[in-house]
Amino acid sequence: MKILITGNMGYIGPAVVSQLRETYPSAMLIGCDMGYFGSCLTNTTTLPENKLDMQVFGDVRKLSPEVLHNVDVIVHLAAISNDPMGTRYEEVTMDVNHKSSVAIAKAAKAAGVKAFIFASSCSMYGAAEGGPQTEQSALNPLTAYARSKALTEQDLKPLADDSFTVTCLRFATACGMSSRLRLDLVLNDFVAGAVAGGKISILSDGSPWRPLIHIKDMARAIDWAVSRNPDSSGTFLAVNAGCNEWNYQVRQIAYTVAEVIPETTVTFNPDTLPDKRSYKVDFNLFKLLAPHHQPRYTLQQTIQELHEGLLAMNFADNNFRNSLSMRLKVLTHLQDQDLINHKLEWTCKTAESSSSKVKAA
C-alpha cells in the first residue's frame, strides 16, 4: 500500500504518521507539506518524518501529478487550520482548504487513487440550537475555516463511486500533546495558562459548547477510514468523529484543568461579545461504524499529558498567546522576514519549482 499524507508537518500529522506506520509497517508512507511549521518541534529529539519513506516539500495549490503516481490512499490534512488564520487570510483559506482539496481529489481519482480521506470539522455546525448535531443536521458555518470545510464536503460527494471512496471525518476540536504542539486550541491554551502562571483566562463567559478529541484518537479514526468497507457505509461518507462523552462547555473544560493542576484560578470575560460558535455533537454513527477505533483518551488524561509535556519543556511563557506557539504568529513571523508572501507562498522558490523530495534514510 502507498499512502500520501498531506499537511503531515502540522500539529496532527506526527500522530497520524505514527499510527499508520504502526498499522501498516510495510506500507510506503509519503508526506507532503509546505513546511511552515517544520521547525516548531516540542519534546522530541527526532523528526517525526523519520517514520516516512519520503517527504515532499510542496504547495498543495500546485501539486505535481507525479506525487500521485501509484498512490492508493490520500489522507488530506493540509489546510489553513484555524479561525484566526482564516480571518486574516480568508482568500488563501478558501483557495487552500476548498479549491485545492477538490482539485487534488479530482486528480487523485483520475490517477487511480482508491480512497480519499478528508479531515473535516464539526465547526461547520457553528451556532447550533437544540440537541446534539447529527450528520443530517443543518450546517451553519460562521467562519472562513468552517465554510471551506462545508464547501469541500459538498464538492467531494459527486466524485465518490465504486472506484473512489471518499471519507469526510468531521473532527471535534483537537487537543493533546504533539511533537509539534499548538497552543491556539482551547484545552491546550488552558493547560498552558495553568502551567505558566497558574491562571486560565477565558475570553468569553465560558458558556459555549465544544466537543474535543485527542490527536491520537483522530489518528485512530483516520486509520479506520483508510481501510473502511464502502459496502457497509457507502462510497461517500461524512461522519462526526469523536465521542459523546467529550462534549463540554468551555467553563467545564477550564474547571477540569484547575482540578488536575493544583493552584489554578479561572477567570472569565463576561463583557466581551458572545462567542456564537456553540455546538454539541452526536457521535453515535461513528461509534456504530468504527467500534474498534473509538477514542481512548479521557479529558483528565489529556490534561495530565499536556501538563507533564509542558513541564518537561520548562514552559513558563505567560505571554504565550503572542508567541510562536500560535500558528498565526508563525505565519506572521515568516512574512515579517519576507520568507512568505501575502498568498503564503515561499518567496525563495519559483512557481515552476513547486515541489522537492527528501527520501528517508
Side-chain angles (χ1 to χ4, degrees):
M1 184 185 294
K2 190 174 182 180
I3 304 174
L4 174 67
I5 305 122
T6 69
N8 66 288
M9 297 179 76
Y11 170 57
I12 300 164
V16 172
V17 169
S18 182
Q19 177 69 49
L20 294 179
R21 176 54 71 207
E22 180 181 343
T23 303
Y24 306 100
S26 61
M28 184 172 187
L29 302 183
I30 303 169
C32 179
D33 200 283
M34 279 286 275
Y36 299 136
F37 313 115
S39 63
C40 299
L41 293 169
T42 48
N43 267 23
T44 182
T45 56
T46 59
L47 283 173
E49 291 71 48
N50 66 2
K51 295 184 179 180
L52 295 171
D53 295 282
M54 181 182 293
Q55 176 67 56
V56 177
F57 292 95
D59 191 331
V60 292
R61 292 167 289 187
K62 309 169 186 175
L63 192 67
S64 172
E66 68 178 86
V67 176
L68 302 175
H69 182 64
N70 287 335
V71 168
D72 297 294
V73 179
I74 294 177
V75 176
H76 189 51
L77 305 176
I80 305 300
S81 59
N82 68 5
D83 292 336
M85 287 195 287
T87 299
R88 178 162 178 175
Y89 303 106
E90 183 168 356
E91 184 177 345
V92 178
T93 293
M94 300 310 293
D95 193 16
V96 171
N97 295 13
H98 172 222
K99 294 179 183 178
S100 296
S101 298
V102 176
I104 290 172
K106 289 180 177 178
K109 183 176 181 178
V113 175
K114 300 178 181 65
F116 188 87
I117 299 159
F118 176 58
S120 191
S121 173
C122 287
S123 66
M124 296 187 298
Y125 297 119
E129 298 180 354
Q133 304 298 291
T134 71
E135 290 78 4
Q136 285 70 48
S137 297
L139 302 181
N140 185 21
L142 299 178
T143 64
Y145 173 77
R147 289 194 300 274
S148 73
K149 297 295 185 180
L151 288 169
T152 301
E153 282 196 14
Q154 173 185 294
D155 290 346
L156 288 178
K157 187 173 183 178
L159 300 179
D161 57 27
D162 291 339
S163 65
F164 189 67
T165 300
V166 176
T167 308
C168 301
L169 295 169
R170 295 179 179 176
F171 284 118
T173 300
C175 61
M177 197 64 201
S178 167
S179 53
R180 285 197 176 91
L181 182 63
R182 286 173 55 183
L183 297 181
D184 50 3
L185 294 159
V186 60
L187 178 61
N188 298 3
D189 175 292
F190 290 173
V191 176
V195 172
K199 183 178 179 180
I200 298 172
S201 301
I202 300 179
L203 304 179
S204 71
D205 64 1
S207 63
W209 285 90
R210 290 284 189 282
L212 302 176
I213 185 171
H214 194 291
I215 58 169
K216 291 181 181 177
D217 288 328
M218 296 174 74
R220 286 169 50 75
I222 289 169
D223 190 357
W224 165 77
V226 165
S227 57
R228 81 169 178 90
N229 184 358
D231 293 339
S232 59
S233 47
T235 56
F236 176 84
L237 175 67
V239 60
N240 297 332
C243 64
N244 294 335
E245 293 77 12
W246 275 65
N247 279 299
Y248 293 100
Q249 284 182 289
V250 171
R251 65 166 69 99
Q252 291 177 288
I253 299 170
Y255 287 138
T256 305
V257 172
E259 290 173 5
V260 175
I261 304 176
E263 300 182 12
T264 298
T265 61
V266 180
T267 62
F268 300 91
N269 188 1
D271 297 327
T272 192
L273 291 174
D275 188 345
K276 295 181 179 179
R277 298 167 302 157
S278 181
Y279 46 91
K280 293 178 69 175
V281 178
D282 184 316
F283 297 100
N284 288 330
L285 179 59
F286 180 61
K287 187 174 184 178
L288 176 67
L289 295 177
H292 303 299
H293 291 79
Q294 291 299 293
R296 292 177 174 175
Y297 276 80
T298 66
L299 179 58
Q300 290 79 4
Q301 287 173 336
T302 305
I303 294 168
Q304 188 62 43
E305 178 198 57
L306 283 164
H307 184 208
E308 293 172 358
L310 288 170
L311 289 177
M313 292 165 53
N314 296 314
F315 182 81
D317 185 2
N318 276 309
N319 195 34
F320 67 88
R321 286 176 175 164
N322 289 311
S323 76
L324 296 181
S325 297
M326 316 297 278
R327 292 302 194 244
L328 178 57
K329 296 296 182 182
V330 175
L331 296 184
T332 302
H333 178 68
L334 292 174
Q335 277 195 300
D336 289 344
Q337 293 183 309
D338 292 325
L339 294 174
I340 59 175
N341 61 24
H342 68 285
K343 293 184 179 180
L344 304 187
E345 300 165 322
W346 289 105
T347 57
C348 57
K349 298 188 69 71
T350 64
E352 288 74 26
S353 60
S354 58
S355 65
S356 58
K357 301 176 182 178
V358 177
K359 291 186 178 181

